[in-house]
């Protein structure tokens, strides 16, 4: 526990005296560590506590280094009361290239809170290659997400085809700067079945399969 000393001073017309009061102030959550791991444009935050008291949850907040505006990007349930070490993890996915700050907002069951800041900035660099990721969720109903990355500026086209090869939708078609992208695909008007999505650029083409189940 942290120790806090308060000095009280009393004065009258003839004398000045001092009184010292010292007591232990137990923090609701003692954080052991708080670190980040970068994988492409995903950031995994790992932290651990040595003890917890009345801990309801951790809200994860992120800001751009050029802005003081913080936004909540997720939440992880706390352990309530614990006298043994507890480890936590949260992954923030699909970030654009840039520099970011993170902090934890630890909230107790009474609504009181305190912040724990990540000591270092997180840098998401530009991709080094073209890549089309598997959609998620998959199978899906009726919406899914498609991630792709491009290492150079240029024209990019992302299209959807049914199992017979017929074009059913064009999700993206035009100039894009180098970076990471996520596109949402809503298949509410389509029938269940196997579909394919294709990413095309000047020197790259890749196709992946996905399943719509209603």
């Amino acid at each position: 526990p942290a120790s806090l000393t308060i000095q009280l001073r009393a004065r009258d017309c003839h004398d000045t005296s001092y009184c010292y009061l010292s007591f232990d102030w137990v923090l609701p959550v003692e954080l052991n560590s708080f670190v980040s791991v970068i994988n492409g444009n995903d950031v995994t935050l790992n932290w651990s506590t040595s003890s917890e008291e009345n801990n309801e949850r951790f809200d994860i907040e992120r800001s751009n280094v050029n802005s003081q505006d913080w936004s909540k990007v997720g939440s992880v349930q706390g352990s309530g009361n614990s006298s043994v070490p507890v480890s936590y993890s949260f992954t923030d996915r699909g970030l654009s290239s840039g520099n970011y700050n993170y902090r934890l907002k630890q909230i107790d069951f009474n609504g009181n809170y305190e912040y724990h800041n990540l000591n270092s900035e997180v840098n998401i660099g530009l991709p080094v290659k073209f890549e089309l990721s598997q959609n998620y969720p998959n199978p899906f109903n009726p919406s899914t997400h498609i991630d792709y990355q491009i290492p150079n500026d240029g024209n990019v086209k992302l299209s959807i085809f049914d199992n017979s090869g017929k074009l059913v939708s064009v999700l993206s078609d035009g100039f894009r700067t180098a970076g990471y992208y996520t596109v949402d695909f809503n298949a509410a008007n389509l029938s269940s079945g196997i579909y394919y999505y294709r990413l095309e650029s000047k020197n790259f083409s890749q196709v992946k399969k996905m399943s719509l189940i209603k």
Side-chain angles (χ1 to χ4, degrees):
S3 179
L4 179 67
T5 299
I6 296 179
Q7 176 179 296
L8 302 177
R9 180 176 180 180
R11 172 180 292 176
D12 59 26
C13 297
H14 305 288
D15 190 21
T16 299
S17 60
Y18 296 91
C19 175
Y20 294 92
L21 174 64
S22 181
F23 61 93
D24 286 333
W25 182 18
V26 178
L27 299 175
V29 170
E30 291 193 60
L31 213 64
N32 268 340
S33 63
F34 183 23
V35 297
S36 63
V37 178
I38 302 172
N39 182 15
N41 64 330
D42 297 340
V43 177
T44 298
L45 303 172
N46 299 305
W47 67 98
S48 64
T49 62
S50 57
S51 66
E52 299 184 23
E53 181 179 323
N54 200 34
N55 180 26
E56 180 187 6
R57 71 181 190 274
F58 295 95
D59 284 349
I60 297 89
E61 298 184 352
R62 181 188 70 219
S63 74
N64 190 290
V65 294
N66 298 318
S67 171
Q68 297 300 315
D69 296 329
W70 291 87
S71 58
K72 178 182 173 181
V73 296
S75 185
V76 174
Q77 193 71 27
S79 295
N81 298 296
S82 175
S83 59
V84 298
V86 181
S87 296
Y88 298 91
S89 184
F90 174 82
T91 299
D92 191 16
R93 302 183 185 277
L95 295 171
S96 300
S97 300
N99 296 324
Y100 300 93
N101 289 318
Y102 285 91
R103 69 184 183 186
L104 300 174
K105 183 178 182 181
Q106 182 272 315
I107 305 172
D108 66 23
F109 289 103
N110 299 319
N112 300 317
Y113 61 88
E114 64 176 334
Y115 289 106
H116 303 275
N117 291 281
L118 187 66
N119 289 331
S120 57
E121 295 178 3
V122 171
N123 175 259
I124 303 297
L126 293 175
V128 296
K129 63 178 180 178
F130 284 97
E131 185 172 318
L132 178 64
S133 300
Q134 185 64 51
N135 65 300
Y136 61 97
N138 187 49
F140 67 98
N141 178 30
S143 297
T144 189
H145 309 284
I146 300 173
D147 294 342
Y148 66 91
Q149 62 184 47
I150 56 175
N152 310 111
D153 300 352
N155 292 315
V156 174
K157 187 175 183 179
L158 180 63
S159 308
I160 307 294
F161 302 87
D162 64 18
N163 202 29
S164 68
K166 178 184 176 181
L167 177 67
V168 297
S169 181
V170 176
L171 301 182
S172 179
D173 187 9
F175 182 82
R176 296 289 183 270
T177 58
Y180 300 91
Y181 294 89
T182 298
V183 179
D184 295 331
F185 174 51
N186 191 316
N189 297 324
L190 298 176
S191 302
S192 297
I194 300 298
Y195 292 85
Y196 297 88
Y197 56 102
R198 181 174 68 195
L199 180 68
E200 301 173 88
S201 68
K202 183 178 180 180
N203 299 310
F204 176 84
S205 179
Q206 187 175 4
V207 177
K208 286 186 178 292
K209 182 173 66 174
M210 57 185 172
S211 300
L212 172 62
I213 299 179
K214 292 186 175 181

